[in-house]
Amino acid sequence: MCDSERVTDDTPDAPDATPDATPDGRAGRLRRRWDREASGYDRAFAAAEGRMFPDVRRRLCALARGDVLEVAVGTGLNLPHYPPAVTGGHLVGVEWSPGMLDVARQRADGLGVDVDLRLGDAQRLDLPDSSVDTAVCTFSMCAIADERAALAEMVRVLRPGGRLLLADHVTSTFWPLRALQAVADLVSVPWAGEHFGRRPMRWVAARADAGELVVEQHERTRAGVIEWVAAAVPA
Protein backbone atom coordinates (compact mmCIF):
# COMPACT_ATOMS: atom_id res chain seq x y z
CA MET A 1 0.00 0.00 0.00
CA CYS A 2 2.99 2.31 0.39
CA ASP A 3 4.00 4.78 -2.31
CA SER A 4 7.23 2.82 -2.78
CA GLU A 5 9.93 0.98 -0.86
CA ARG A 6 12.31 3.21 1.10
CA VAL A 7 14.91 1.07 2.82
CA THR A 8 18.58 1.75 2.39
CA ASP A 9 20.98 -0.57 4.15
CA ASP A 10 20.48 -3.40 6.61
CA THR A 11 22.76 -1.38 8.90
CA PRO A 12 21.25 2.12 9.18
CA ASP A 13 24.48 3.76 10.35
CA ALA A 14 26.68 2.29 7.61
CA PRO A 15 29.41 4.83 6.82
CA ASP A 16 29.75 6.65 3.50
CA ALA A 17 26.37 5.43 2.21
CA THR A 18 25.31 7.19 -1.00
CA PRO A 19 21.70 7.08 -2.26
CA ASP A 20 22.67 6.55 -5.89
CA ALA A 21 24.93 3.59 -5.13
CA THR A 22 23.56 0.10 -5.74
CA PRO A 23 22.96 -1.48 -2.31
CA ASP A 24 23.70 -5.11 -1.61
CA GLY A 25 21.73 -7.83 0.14
CA ARG A 26 18.15 -7.30 1.24
CA ALA A 27 18.18 -3.56 0.54
CA GLY A 28 19.34 -4.19 -3.03
CA ARG A 29 16.63 -6.80 -3.53
CA LEU A 30 13.93 -4.45 -2.29
CA ARG A 31 15.14 -1.59 -4.47
CA ARG A 32 15.16 -3.84 -7.55
CA ARG A 33 11.65 -4.99 -6.72
CA TRP A 34 10.30 -1.45 -6.66
CA ASP A 35 12.25 -0.50 -9.76
CA ARG A 36 10.53 -3.39 -11.57
CA GLU A 37 7.09 -2.46 -10.28
CA ALA A 38 7.39 1.27 -10.93
CA SER A 39 5.73 1.28 -14.35
CA GLY A 40 2.61 -0.50 -13.12
CA TYR A 41 2.52 0.88 -9.61
CA ASP A 42 -0.04 3.65 -10.20
CA ARG A 43 -2.61 1.24 -11.63
CA ALA A 44 -2.16 -1.18 -8.73
CA PHE A 45 -2.39 1.60 -6.13
CA ALA A 46 -5.40 3.43 -7.65
CA ALA A 47 -8.02 0.92 -6.49
CA ALA A 48 -6.86 0.95 -2.87
CA GLU A 49 -6.57 4.73 -2.83
CA GLY A 50 -10.01 5.30 -4.32
CA ARG A 51 -11.60 3.03 -1.73
CA MET A 52 -9.61 3.87 1.39
CA PHE A 53 -8.40 7.48 1.18
CA PRO A 54 -9.71 9.26 -1.94
CA ASP A 55 -9.22 12.82 -0.68
CA VAL A 56 -6.23 12.65 1.64
CA ARG A 57 -3.54 13.75 -0.83
CA ARG A 58 -5.51 16.79 -1.97
CA ARG A 59 -6.28 17.95 1.55
CA LEU A 60 -2.77 17.38 2.89
CA CYS A 61 -0.80 18.84 -0.02
CA ALA A 62 -3.01 21.94 -0.06
CA LEU A 63 -1.42 22.83 3.29
CA ALA A 64 2.10 23.01 1.83
CA ARG A 65 3.67 26.46 1.71
CA GLY A 66 7.03 28.03 0.83
CA ASP A 67 9.99 25.79 0.05
CA VAL A 68 8.65 22.22 0.18
CA LEU A 69 10.41 18.88 0.59
CA GLU A 70 8.57 15.65 -0.21
CA VAL A 71 10.25 12.58 1.22
CA ALA A 72 9.73 9.29 -0.63
CA VAL A 73 8.04 11.02 -3.56
CA GLY A 74 7.50 7.68 -5.32
CA THR A 75 5.89 8.05 -8.74
CA GLY A 76 4.84 11.62 -8.01
CA LEU A 77 1.20 10.96 -7.14
CA ASN A 78 1.12 14.10 -4.98
CA LEU A 79 2.35 16.44 -7.72
CA PRO A 80 -1.10 17.40 -9.06
CA HIS A 81 -2.28 18.34 -5.57
CA TYR A 82 0.27 20.98 -4.55
CA PRO A 83 -0.55 24.68 -4.89
CA PRO A 84 0.86 26.23 -8.11
CA ALA A 85 3.20 28.39 -6.02
CA VAL A 86 4.87 25.20 -4.76
CA THR A 87 5.22 23.43 -8.11
CA GLY A 88 6.55 26.61 -9.68
CA GLY A 89 10.09 25.92 -8.51
CA HIS A 90 9.78 25.48 -4.76
CA LEU A 91 9.44 21.69 -4.46
CA VAL A 92 12.18 19.10 -3.95
CA GLY A 93 11.18 15.44 -4.13
CA VAL A 94 13.51 12.77 -2.72
CA GLU A 95 13.13 9.13 -3.72
CA TRP A 96 15.28 6.06 -3.09
CA SER A 97 14.07 3.95 -6.06
CA PRO A 98 15.46 5.09 -9.45
CA GLY A 99 12.59 3.34 -11.24
CA MET A 100 9.98 5.20 -9.21
CA LEU A 101 11.86 8.44 -9.73
CA ASP A 102 11.80 7.98 -13.52
CA VAL A 103 8.01 7.70 -13.42
CA ALA A 104 7.79 10.80 -11.20
CA ARG A 105 9.87 12.77 -13.70
CA GLN A 106 7.56 11.70 -16.52
CA ARG A 107 4.56 12.83 -14.46
CA ALA A 108 6.18 16.18 -13.70
CA ASP A 109 6.90 16.71 -17.41
CA GLY A 110 3.31 15.83 -18.28
CA LEU A 111 1.98 18.28 -15.72
CA GLY A 112 4.41 20.98 -16.80
CA VAL A 113 5.58 21.63 -13.24
CA ASP A 114 9.01 22.78 -12.10
CA VAL A 115 10.13 20.21 -9.52
CA ASP A 116 13.59 19.13 -8.40
CA LEU A 117 13.34 15.32 -8.26
CA ARG A 118 16.43 13.58 -6.94
CA LEU A 119 17.70 10.29 -5.55
CA GLY A 120 18.05 10.40 -1.80
CA ASP A 121 17.79 8.59 1.53
CA ALA A 122 14.90 9.55 3.81
CA GLN A 123 16.99 8.54 6.83
CA ARG A 124 19.91 10.82 5.87
CA LEU A 125 18.61 13.80 3.92
CA ASP A 126 21.21 15.70 1.93
CA LEU A 127 19.83 19.07 3.02
CA PRO A 128 21.04 21.61 5.60
CA ASP A 129 19.28 22.30 8.87
CA SER A 130 16.32 24.69 8.76
CA SER A 131 16.21 24.83 4.97
CA VAL A 132 12.54 24.15 4.06
CA ASP A 133 9.14 25.49 5.11
CA THR A 134 7.14 22.27 4.63
CA ALA A 135 8.12 18.59 4.78
CA VAL A 136 5.68 16.04 3.34
CA CYS A 137 5.55 12.24 3.39
CA THR A 138 2.50 10.24 2.31
CA PHE A 139 1.98 6.47 2.58
CA SER A 140 5.70 5.75 2.81
CA MET A 141 6.75 5.76 6.46
CA CYS A 142 5.39 2.22 6.48
CA ALA A 143 8.33 1.11 4.34
CA ILE A 144 11.28 3.16 5.57
CA ALA A 145 13.70 0.96 7.49
CA ASP A 146 14.08 3.42 10.38
CA GLU A 147 10.98 5.61 10.26
CA ARG A 148 11.98 7.50 13.42
CA ALA A 149 15.25 8.55 11.80
CA ALA A 150 13.33 9.74 8.75
CA LEU A 151 10.87 11.72 10.86
CA ALA A 152 13.72 13.31 12.82
CA GLU A 153 15.41 14.25 9.56
CA MET A 154 12.24 15.91 8.28
CA VAL A 155 11.99 17.99 11.45
CA ARG A 156 15.70 18.81 11.29
CA VAL A 157 15.39 20.44 7.87
CA LEU A 158 12.28 22.45 8.80
CA ARG A 159 12.64 26.14 9.55
CA PRO A 160 11.10 27.57 12.73
CA GLY A 161 7.39 27.80 12.03
CA GLY A 162 7.71 25.12 9.33
CA ARG A 163 5.08 22.44 8.88
CA LEU A 164 5.33 18.63 8.92
CA LEU A 165 2.63 16.89 6.82
CA LEU A 166 2.20 13.11 7.16
CA ALA A 167 -0.33 10.55 5.95
CA ASP A 168 -0.13 6.78 6.12
CA HIS A 169 -1.91 3.51 6.73
CA VAL A 170 -1.44 2.65 10.39
CA THR A 171 -2.37 0.08 13.01
CA SER A 172 -6.15 -0.11 13.33
CA THR A 173 -8.31 0.88 16.31
CA PHE A 174 -10.44 -2.22 15.62
CA TRP A 175 -8.79 -5.17 17.37
CA PRO A 176 -9.70 -7.94 14.86
CA LEU A 177 -8.21 -5.87 12.04
CA ARG A 178 -5.22 -5.03 14.21
CA ALA A 179 -4.66 -8.75 14.72
CA LEU A 180 -4.76 -9.31 10.95
CA GLN A 181 -2.22 -6.51 10.50
CA ALA A 182 0.09 -8.20 13.00
CA VAL A 183 -0.15 -11.44 11.03
CA ALA A 184 0.45 -9.56 7.77
CA ASP A 185 3.62 -8.06 9.25
CA LEU A 186 5.05 -11.55 9.67
CA VAL A 187 5.12 -11.83 5.88
CA SER A 188 5.26 -8.25 4.59
CA VAL A 189 8.14 -7.02 6.75
CA PRO A 190 10.74 -9.68 5.76
CA TRP A 191 9.46 -9.99 2.18
CA ALA A 192 8.73 -6.37 1.22
CA GLY A 193 9.90 -4.23 4.16
CA GLU A 194 6.35 -2.93 4.64
CA HIS A 195 4.92 -2.48 8.14
CA PHE A 196 1.19 -2.54 8.90
CA GLY A 197 1.61 -2.02 12.63
CA ARG A 198 3.33 1.34 12.61
CA ARG A 199 1.81 4.67 13.60
CA PRO A 200 3.98 7.79 13.02
CA MET A 201 1.50 9.88 15.03
CA ARG A 202 2.92 8.36 18.21
CA TRP A 203 6.30 9.92 17.39
CA VAL A 204 4.65 13.25 16.53
CA ALA A 205 2.63 13.22 19.76
CA ALA A 206 5.75 12.55 21.84
CA ARG A 207 7.51 15.50 20.20
CA ALA A 208 4.45 17.65 20.82
CA ASP A 209 4.51 16.69 24.51
CA ALA A 210 8.17 17.74 24.57
CA GLY A 211 7.34 21.12 23.02
CA GLU A 212 9.21 20.36 19.79
CA LEU A 213 6.08 20.24 17.59
CA VAL A 214 2.56 21.68 17.71
CA VAL A 215 -0.21 19.51 16.25
CA GLU A 216 -2.44 21.70 14.07
CA GLN A 217 -4.71 19.15 12.36
CA HIS A 218 -5.20 15.44 12.88
CA GLU A 219 -7.63 12.92 11.44
CA ARG A 220 -7.98 9.14 11.65
CA THR A 221 -10.54 7.20 9.56
CA ARG A 222 -11.44 3.77 8.15
CA ALA A 223 -11.36 1.85 11.46
CA GLY A 224 -8.32 3.91 12.35
CA VAL A 225 -6.29 2.51 9.45
CA ILE A 226 -5.83 5.84 7.63
CA GLU A 227 -4.28 8.71 9.57
CA TRP A 228 -2.96 12.11 8.62
CA VAL A 229 -1.50 14.94 10.64
CA ALA A 230 -0.23 18.48 10.18
CA ALA A 231 2.21 19.65 12.85
CA ALA A 232 4.38 22.75 13.10
CA VAL A 233 7.82 23.48 14.50
CA PRO A 234 7.44 26.29 17.06
CA ALA A 235 8.54 29.64 15.67
Side-chain angles (χ1 to χ4, degrees), residues 16 56 82 124 169-170 221 225:
D16 302 323
V56 170
Y82 286 110
R124 283 164 287 193
H169 67 84
V170 300
T221 60
V225 172

Side-chain angles (χ1 to χ4, degrees), residues 143-216:
I144 295 173
D146 186 347
E147 84 282 11
R148 294 184 179 184
L151 288 164
E153 279 289 271
M154 293 173 73
V155 172
R156 176 184 67 80
V157 302
L158 282 170
R159 295 174 179 133
R163 183 176 280 166
L164 177 68
L165 303 177
L166 303 173
D168 223 315
H169 67 84
V170 300
T171 184
S172 176
T173 55
F174 183 52
W175 76 260
L177 184 52
R178 192 163 61 247
L180 288 175
Q181 289 174 312
V183 173
D185 271 356
L186 297 176
V187 176
S188 65
V189 173
W191 177 71
E194 182 169 351
H195 299 253
F196 289 93
R198 284 181 174 174
R199 191 179 174 216
M201 183 61 197
R202 294 192 184 108
W203 187 93
V204 173
R207 296 307 178 276
D209 289 343
E212 299 169 14
L213 289 172
V214 177
V215 175
E216 298 179 331

Side-chain angles (χ1 to χ4, degrees), residues 6-102:
R6 277 58 163 202
V7 294
T8 53
D9 193 286
D10 291 336
T11 306
D13 59 352
D16 302 323
T18 56
D20 55 345
T22 302
D24 297 322
R26 179 172 181 268
R29 174 179 62 79
L30 291 171
R31 176 186 270 186
R32 290 190 295 272
R33 172 178 176 257
W34 285 102
D35 285 347
R36 289 193 303 270
E37 295 186 6
S39 61
Y41 176 80
D42 291 355
R43 291 189 300 274
F45 199 74
E49 180 159 350
R51 183 173 63 255
M52 292 293 291
F53 48 97
D55 204 34
V56 170
R57 293 184 193 276
R58 182 188 65 81
R59 294 171 65 189
L60 195 73
C61 293
L63 300 175
R65 295 290 185 272
D67 295 319
V68 179
L69 167 70
E70 182 173 343
V71 170
V73 69
T75 61
L77 288 171
N78 287 334
L79 294 181
H81 303 292
Y82 286 110
V86 171
T87 52
H90 293 277
L91 174 62
V92 173
V94 173
E95 171 55 43
W96 185 71
S97 162
M100 289 283 185
L101 198 60
D102 287 344

